[in-house]
Amino acid sequence: MKSVLQAGWLFTVAVGNIIVLIVAEAAQLPDQWAEYILFASLLVVVCIVFAIMSYFYTYTDPAEIEAEFRQPEHEPEEKKKRDQVEMERKDSDCSKSSKGSDKKKKDSVVEQLNQEVKQSKM
């Protein structure tokens, strides 16, 4: 890893040196101070570009990203409860029982499971 980072650093220095060579040769300035002014003005332009980029940067909270990755761990339990609730609903809808008390019991079980699912989400 150390050698990869060192290679990246040396590559960026090489690219910077190539840019300096191109600009210095293309400018053909007679005095040394004029060349310094040229490079200083290029640095100001780069600073302005980075200032604009930083203005539009949106911060992302690492805790939110970690929470998104941790969320699927709890999902199977919630899914199992939801499936169980749906099966209870289907059973209560499909049952042709005329007894009202059975239906009330199933409705209360379904309601209880819904409450548990809502609490587990919080």
Side-chain angles (χ1 to χ4, degrees):
M1 187 64 164
K2 184 178 178 181
S3 60
V4 170
L5 292 175
Q6 184 70 32
W9 169 258
L10 292 174
F11 179 71
T12 57
V13 169
V15 170
N17 288 338
I18 290 171
I19 292 172
V20 167
L21 285 173
I22 292 170
V23 170
E25 291 297 321
Q28 294 294 326
L29 298 172
D31 295 325
Q32 188 74 31
W33 65 268
E35 193 172 323
Y36 287 140
I37 297 294
L38 172 68
F39 287 118
S41 61
L42 288 174
L43 283 174
V44 169
V45 170
V46 169
C47 287
I48 292 171
V49 168
F50 278 115
I52 292 169
M53 289 172 59
S54 68
Y55 179 77
F56 291 106
Y57 177 76
T58 55
Y59 177 75
T60 311
D61 189 15
E64 290 177 9
I65 295 171
E66 290 176 10
E68 288 178 12
F69 284 115
R70 274 190 247 129
Q71 187 177 7
E73 293 175 4
H74 301 292
E75 192 172 315
E77 292 176 10
E78 293 175 5
K79 186 177 179 185
K80 187 184 285 186
K81 287 182 180 179
R82 277 190 232 125
D83 290 344
Q84 191 175 16
V85 169
E86 288 176 9
M87 288 179 66
E88 288 291 330
R89 286 183 182 166
K90 287 179 182 177
D91 287 344
S92 67
D93 291 342
C94 293
S95 70
K96 295 180 181 177
S97 164
S98 61
K99 296 181 181 178
S101 62
D102 288 343
K103 186 172 182 174
K104 287 181 184 179
K105 285 181 186 178
K106 287 182 182 180
D107 288 342
S108 65
V109 169
V110 170
E111 191 64 37
Q112 185 179 11
L113 290 172
N114 282 335
Q115 293 285 339
E116 290 176 10
V117 170
K118 287 179 185 177
Q119 289 175 353
S120 66
K121 286 183 182 180
M122 292 180 182

